Amino acid sequence: MTHTRNKTRTRTKRQSMRQSMRRALRRDVASTVGLLADDHDFAAMRRYRSFAFDDHPDYLHHVEGLLRGLSEQGGHTAVALFDPEDFAAFCTERGLDPDSSASRGRYTAEVAAAGAAVAYTGQPIDDLVPLLVNLSVRHATWQYATALLGDLGGCTDCGEDLGRSAFERASQLLLALLAGAGPGTHHLVCSVPATEDQLLAVLHTTTRDATAPAELDPTEGAEFTTVLAVGIALGSPGGVVLRTSAPDAPDRLHGWRLHHGRLVPLTEGEVFSAYCTDADTGEPLSPEPGVQYCAGFDLGD
């Protein structure tokens, strides 16, 4: 009897150790969850029999519960935007059955691996969805702008890679913008019309003092530089605006327009007009309180 009890205790202890080791391993495994952000995308997935949901709010409730559960297990969880149209094309290209949870999982993993995913840190689902949509738009813009630069080829006279040359010029211009902006928190927007779409890139940076380099997210910096490079390479119209905030001082707004691949400073009046005119109606808008409208400064371009 004693021998049997000892064997039972030993077996129980081993099982407990195995479970503990598996839980430890589980914390080292990253999870990726695909999210259908809106009713339209959700409705598109309902044509698949293996998709178990028929109500979008209920679906979002269950996704949020899943994310919380994964977070409680201690592992890293990323959330990617699930695009049904892109998913169908993905399955066709790879010969996969779209009516399969395995195919959905593979698609989600590849979207996240491409960089279009947000780390889940306990955000409410209502905050997570806009973050995902914004990231997806940024990622698509970057991919499209990068493809445009890559398709330019070489200069017919000197053989220089036109896309790479434009990117290098855009990088230099970004450095000049940040150097001229001075200390403070900076919000830059670059807008460039392209063949199929209006490209838009946003960059947030902080400069502590005149001797310190600007602190910026490298991905945002690359996106901004790539969109600006497209405008330079194509000779497109477009422009850059810079808003600088500093303690105990009004926000400063500067602007430049793209002209034949150069950033030409706008005058103070042009900056004021751009910000204080309704883009749809052309009607004047009231100036924003606590904002100083300034001419663009010279970038040495």
Side-chain angles (χ1 to χ4, degrees), residues 143-153 194-195 199 230 234:
Q143 286 184 316
Y144 178 55
T146 301
L148 285 176
L149 292 178
D151 289 343
L152 292 175
T195 307
L199 302 182
V230 168
L234 300 183

Side-chain angles (χ1 to χ4, degrees), residues 32 78-80 105-118 139 143:
T32 307
V79 186
R106 181 172 170 181
Y107 168 77
T108 300
E110 294 211 11
V111 170
V118 172
H139 190 72
Q143 286 184 316

Side-chain angles (χ1 to χ4, degrees), residues 3 46 69 112 125 164 167 184 273 297:
H3 179 68
R46 290 191 61 196
I125 201 76
R164 181 179 300 171
F167 189 87
S273 177
F297 45 83

Side-chain angles (χ1 to χ4, degrees), residues 90-120:
F90 170 87
C91 291
T92 299
E93 181 181 336
R94 289 163 176 77
L96 300 175
D97 177 12
D99 197 357
S100 161
S101 59
S103 299
R104 292 194 291 273
R106 181 172 170 181
Y107 168 77
T108 300
E110 294 211 11
V111 170
V118 172
Y120 177 72

Side-chain angles (χ1 to χ4, degrees), residues 181-187 205-209 214 243-247 252:
T185 300
H186 312 300
H187 178 85
T205 75
T206 301
T207 304
R208 302 295 178 184
D209 57 64
R243 181 172 186 144
T244 297
S245 303
R252 302 191 315 274

Side-chain angles (χ1 to χ4, degrees), residues 147-193:
L148 285 176
L149 292 178
D151 289 343
L152 292 175
C155 173
T156 55
D157 293 327
C158 66
E160 183 177 13
D161 187 297
L162 295 174
R164 181 179 300 171
S165 176
F167 189 87
E168 290 173 355
R169 288 190 64 199
S171 300
Q172 294 166 358
L173 286 171
L174 176 57
L175 291 175
L177 283 164
L178 297 177
T185 300
H186 312 300
H187 178 85
L188 297 97
V189 179
C190 180
S191 177
V192 173

Side-chain angles (χ1 to χ4, degrees), residues 26-280:
R26 180 65 186 85
R27 289 192 292 270
D28 293 340
V29 176
S31 300
T32 307
V33 176
L35 178 65
L36 295 160
D38 58 40
D39 292 335
H40 179 268
D41 287 347
F42 180 83
M45 292 302 294
R46 290 191 61 196
R47 68 177 182 267
Y48 300 121
R49 289 180 298 175
S50 60
F51 186 72
F53 297 91
D54 56 12
D55 179 77
H56 190 226
D58 182 58
Y59 160 82
L60 292 176
H61 173 75
H62 282 285
V63 169
E64 189 165 29
L66 171 64
L67 292 172
R68 287 175 179 169
L70 291 171
S71 179
E72 289 169 0
Q73 294 175 22
H76 173 79
T77 302
V79 186
L81 197 67
F82 198 101
D83 183 331
E85 185 176 340
D86 190 49
F87 168 67
F90 170 87
C91 291
T92 299
E93 181 181 336
R94 289 163 176 77
L96 300 175
D97 177 12
D99 197 357
S100 161
S101 59
S103 299
R104 292 194 291 273
R106 181 172 170 181
Y107 168 77
T108 300
E110 294 211 11
V111 170
V118 172
Y120 177 72
T121 57
Q123 309 98 316
I125 201 76
D126 289 342
D127 294 339
L128 194 59
V129 168
L131 284 175
L132 275 174
V133 172
N134 177 62
L135 178 63
S136 180
V137 170
R138 283 175 45 199
H139 190 72
T141 298
W142 190 9
Q143 286 184 316
Y144 178 55
T146 301
L148 285 176
L149 292 178
D151 289 343
L152 292 175
C155 173
T156 55
D157 293 327
C158 66
E160 183 177 13
D161 187 297
L162 295 174
R164 181 179 300 171
S165 176
F167 189 87
E168 290 173 355
R169 288 190 64 199
S171 300
Q172 294 166 358
L173 286 171
L174 176 57
L175 291 175
L177 283 164
L178 297 177
T185 300
H186 312 300
H187 178 85
L188 297 97
V189 179
C190 180
S191 177
V192 173
T195 307
E196 299 178 5
D197 204 355
Q198 181 79 17
L199 302 182
L200 188 71
V202 178
L203 175 64
H204 301 87
T205 75
T206 301
T207 304
R208 302 295 178 184
D209 57 64
T211 61
E215 303 168 7
L216 68 153
D217 179 272
T219 300
E220 278 194 6
E223 292 169 355
F224 186 93
T225 306
T226 304
V227 169
L228 179 55
V230 168
I232 292 171
L234 300 183
S236 302
V240 171
V241 293
L242 164 67
R243 181 172 186 144
T244 297
S245 303
D248 304 319
D251 284 7
R252 302 191 315 274
L253 289 174
H254 302 269
W256 296 259
R257 72 175 182 274
L258 270 169
H259 181 68
H260 296 304
R262 298 178 60 245
L263 279 181
V264 179
L266 296 178
T267 66
E268 180 181 331
E270 287 172 326
V271 173
F272 180 89
S273 177
Y275 272 90
C276 299
T277 303
D278 189 297
D280 296 324

